[in-house]
């Protein structure tokens, strides 16, 4: 047990020794019910060392650390895999599942890509690793660059279509409100 959590957690006072082995309901000893149900529950001991225990916020990095690159830190690094021909492993820093899944899906649409997969090494660190294997006609880097260009085009189209539909909905909403009030 660490020094910060020196006090063991409180034991549930309602559990008793088992008297029967047929069902679990005989293992519980319930207190007499007097008054409010909440008044019968055991209250936490404020002196039980809670102030010494770390809180969850101490383990979470600051929000800006999730997307701002540090000094000398690169956004993408490439390592060539020597075990499999035409394969590279790309490490994306300060990115998460959103970009990883979009790139993986777009790469798999390419006829020259034989494998594409990503993983996030740890959920508290905003980075992912993308492995790309090609058939040899193009390099994994060329496949990744082409997938990025295709994604930018697709997302631009999505943005334009969404904006157009949003403006149409606003116009329809204004005309319906104007027609009802004008009658």
């Amino acid at each position: 047990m660490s020094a910060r959590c020196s006090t063991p957690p409180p034991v549930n006072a309602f559990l008793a020794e088992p008297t029967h082995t047929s069902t679990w309901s005989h293992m519980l000893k319930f207190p007499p019910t007097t008054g409010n149900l909440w008044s019968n529950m055991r209250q936490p001991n404020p002196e039980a060392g809670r102030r010494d225990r770390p809180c969850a916020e101490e383990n979470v990095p600051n929000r800006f650390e999730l997307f701002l690159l540090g000094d000398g830190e690169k956004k993408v690094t490439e390592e060539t895999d020597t075990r499999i021909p035409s394969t590279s492993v790309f490490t994306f820093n300060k990115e998460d599942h959103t970009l990883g899944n979009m790139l993986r899906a777009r790469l798999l649409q390419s006829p020259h890509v034989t494998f594409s997969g990503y993983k996030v090494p740890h959920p508290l660190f905003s980075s992912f690793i993308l492995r790309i294997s090609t058939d040899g006609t193009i390099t994994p880097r060329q496949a990744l660059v082409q997938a990025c260009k295709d994604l930018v085009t697709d997302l631009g189209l999505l943005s334009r279509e969404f904006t157009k539909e949003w403006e149409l909905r606003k116009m329809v909403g204004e005309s319906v409100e104007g027609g009802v009030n004008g009658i």
Side-chain angles (χ1 to χ4, degrees), residues 30-117:
F30 295 102
T33 56
T34 57
N36 188 348
L37 175 67
W38 297 109
S39 65
N40 293 328
M41 298 192 70
R42 181 176 173 164
Q43 298 297 319
N45 183 359
E47 302 301 321
R50 285 212 177 268
R51 289 182 294 252
D52 296 338
R53 293 185 179 164
C55 60
E57 289 82 22
E58 291 178 11
N59 292 332
V60 179
N62 292 326
R63 292 275 183 197
F64 68 88
E65 292 176 359
L66 296 175
F67 57 88
L68 291 179
L69 291 173
D71 294 334
E73 190 176 20
K74 292 184 176 181
K75 187 69 165 179
V76 182
T77 57
E78 179 184 11
E79 293 178 27
T80 304
D81 191 353
T82 57
R83 297 174 294 165
I84 303 170
S86 299
T87 301
S88 289
V89 177
F90 297 91
T91 302
F92 287 78
N93 291 318
K94 308 298 182 186
E95 294 294 341
D96 60 359
H97 287 283
T98 306
L99 182 63
N101 197 29
M102 285 194 306
L103 284 173
R104 179 200 56 84
R106 190 61 184 182
L107 282 163
L108 289 175
Q109 292 177 357
S110 173
H112 301 294
V113 174
T114 58
F115 176 81
S116 176

Side-chain angles (χ1 to χ4, degrees), residues 99-174:
L99 182 63
N101 197 29
M102 285 194 306
L103 284 173
R104 179 200 56 84
R106 190 61 184 182
L107 282 163
L108 289 175
Q109 292 177 357
S110 173
H112 301 294
V113 174
T114 58
F115 176 81
S116 176
Y118 80 98
K119 70 176 181 175
V120 175
H122 194 279
L124 288 181
F125 302 118
S126 56
S127 66
F128 69 90
I129 298 169
L130 178 70
R131 179 182 295 270
I132 304 171
S133 294
T134 62
D135 59 4
T137 56
I138 62 173
T139 64
R141 179 184 286 200
Q142 291 170 336
L144 180 62
V145 168
Q146 185 59 43
C148 289
K149 288 178 182 178
D150 293 343
L151 276 176
V152 168
T153 303
D154 290 347
L155 292 174
L157 177 65
L158 177 67
S159 176
R160 284 191 301 277
E161 291 294 320
F162 180 81
T163 304
K164 182 173 76 172
E165 288 295 324
W166 180 261
E167 293 298 325
L168 286 173
R169 294 279 177 160
K170 279 184 15 183
M171 289 175 23
V172 168
E174 290 171 359

Side-chain angles (χ1 to χ4, degrees), residues 1-8 49 52-54:
M1 195 174 284
S2 69
R4 294 185 79 173
C5 297
S6 59
T7 311
D52 296 338
R53 293 185 179 164

